[in-house]
Amino acid sequence: MHPDVALVARVRDGDTHAFEQLVRQYDRQVFRIAQHITQNREDAEDIVQDAFLKAYEKLDQFQGNSKFSTWLIRIAVNESLMRLRKRKNARTVSMDEDVQTDEGFIPRDFADWSPNPEQQFGQSELADILRKTIQGLPEGFRSVFVLRDVENLSTEETAEMLGLSVPAVKSRLLRARLQLRERLSRHFKQAKGAPEK
Amino acid sequence: MTCKEFLAQLTDYFDGKLAADLEAEVRTHMGKCGHCEVVVNTTRKTIEVYRNNEVYEISPSLRERLCAAIMSKCKGKKPGCSSEE
Ligand SMILES: [Zn+2]
């Protein structure tokens, strides 16, 4: 049995410390997802609060056949999408907004990267590069990439949470990955004539 | 297999979901096409680098503040008692 199941049972019995434990376990993940989707720090902070509060209030709807973390992420994604729509002032916003239906994305940069490219950068410099790079993705691609690749959800779970079909998730994931790759290549590719270590 | 056809299989290839004959074709293409080999390796690295590095750090003080706010809102409420539905 997953330890979260026991914690949830204790919360149901009125043990708020058990809930605090769940909050501390997943707050970083909820914040990360919210920040990635909304690209807005204030929203992300609000979403962390709202998502946990909702989870607490709706705990009777949580069924042990899914993981608590997946259930919580679903709530957080919902909250994030809601905020996003609100900010965009309900302009025809849907996850489909930024998708062209042509065949997609053709790689252009074929330079190989150095063996451990991320090690050429300090931690905060690297985080900066990764943040700026993913911010440049269309939001419908970014959400798919984050749920599928960063949070490691399945294609089906990602599709369900974002209200997309499985094929749509797959095609966005491909394009998100290729676009990120292309952009990171600028930073990570092996400098020509650089001495091998 | 063309490069375009190769790319179309990339996601399933990463997931290990390709049928054996298609996977063999993909591997053959990669063996012959330096461009696609680079795309595969650097795409894999792209995923890895995002998975292994925290892009949005949340400070300890912010965590404490959010946790305190959540817990104070939960106090006085019973868990699992949404009035909706
Ligand atoms: Zn090729």
Side-chain angles (χ1 to χ4, degrees):
Chain A
M1 192 172 75
H2 196 283
D4 288 354
V5 177
L7 281 173
V8 168
R10 280 170 52 197
V11 180
R12 281 184 175 139
D13 287 340
D15 181 352
T16 49
H17 292 293
F19 190 68
E20 189 169 333
Q21 225 170 305
L22 288 169
V23 172
R24 292 182 186 277
Q25 203 160 300
Y26 293 114
D27 60 345
R28 273 175 293 208
Q29 190 178 16
V30 170
F31 180 79
R32 183 168 64 224
I33 293 168
Q35 176 83 56
H36 268 300
I37 295 180
T38 63
Q39 295 293 317
N40 182 292
R41 201 178 169 88
E42 271 170 52
D43 279 353
E45 290 180 19
D46 288 345
I47 289 162
V48 172
Q49 298 185 49
D50 293 350
F52 279 108
L53 197 62
K54 245 182 201 155
Y56 186 79
E57 288 169 349
K58 294 185 173 207
L59 208 58
D60 53 335
Q61 290 168 33
F62 169 65
Q63 280 152 356
N65 50 14
S66 73
K67 284 199 295 187
F68 176 77
S69 58
T70 311
W71 184 73
L72 178 66
I73 290 173
R74 184 171 293 120
I75 296 175
V77 169
N78 264 337
E79 291 289 315
S80 303
L81 294 178
M82 246 162 52
R83 296 255 169 184
L84 200 61
R85 291 188 182 119
K86 223 182 264 172
R87 278 219 182 256
K88 295 213 159 177
N89 214 5
R91 275 186 299 128
T92 59
V93 177
S94 81
M95 275 281 143
D96 287 317
E97 175 171 51
D98 37 39
V99 174
Q100 318 100 339
T101 39
D102 65 357
E103 76 277 5
F105 189 73
I106 311 295
R108 277 188 297 259
D109 192 330
F110 301 108
D112 208 355
W113 294 358
S114 14
N116 290 298
E118 71 275 24
Q119 286 169 13
Q120 302 160 10
F121 304 94
Q123 195 73 59
S124 71
E125 194 186 358
L126 178 66
D128 212 41
I129 290 171
L130 296 178
R131 197 161 44 237
K132 286 192 175 128
T133 302
I134 201 166
Q135 275 168 359
L137 278 190
E139 121 206 343
F141 290 12
R142 199 171 57 225
S143 306
V144 167
F145 178 80
V146 166
L147 293 182
R148 186 66 175 60
D149 279 343
V150 181
E151 307 304 336
N152 227 349
L153 297 176
S154 71
T155 302
E156 289 73 16
E157 285 167 337
T158 304
E160 192 236 294
M161 286 187 199
L162 296 176
L164 294 167
S165 69
V166 166
V169 167
K170 282 173 131 181
S171 103
R172 280 167 199 224
L173 182 64
L174 175 65
R175 285 187 272 172
R177 285 168 167 176
L178 290 177
Q179 285 191 32
L180 290 174
R181 184 205 79 89
E182 200 81 16
R183 287 161 205 230
L184 283 184
S185 202
R186 279 176 231 154
H187 304 278
F188 287 174
K189 65 182 155 195
Q190 215 152 15
K192 278 205 185 99
E196 292 278 331
K197 270 188 208 163
Chain B
M1 180 176 268
T2 65
C3 294
K4 207 170 142 185
E5 287 164 345
F6 174 85
L7 279 180
Q9 302 303 329
L10 196 61
T11 308
D12 284 339
Y13 173 68
F14 279 151
D15 288 345
K17 281 186 180 162
L18 285 183
D21 51 340
L22 203 49
E23 175 154 353
E25 269 189 73
V26 161
R27 286 184 192 278
T28 307
H29 181 87
M30 247 192 302
K32 287 189 297 199
C33 179
H35 281 182
C36 285
E37 194 191 5
V38 166
V39 169
V40 165
N41 292 337
T42 52
T43 301
R44 193 170 270 141
K45 188 75 200 175
T46 298
I47 298 167
E48 192 186 307
V49 87
Y50 272 101
R51 201 169 277 174
N52 297 340
N53 291 278
E54 192 62 79
V55 173
Y56 292 113
E57 229 21 280
I58 169 167
S59 71
S61 61
L62 177 58
R63 287 186 73 193
E64 285 310 316
R65 190 158 62 73
L66 291 177
C67 184
I70 293 163
M71 293 316 294
S72 84
K73 283 182 196 161
C74 288
K75 291 242 164 72
K77 274 189 186 172
K78 277 189 190 157
C81 291
S82 50
S83 45
E84 304 159 47
E85 247 142 302

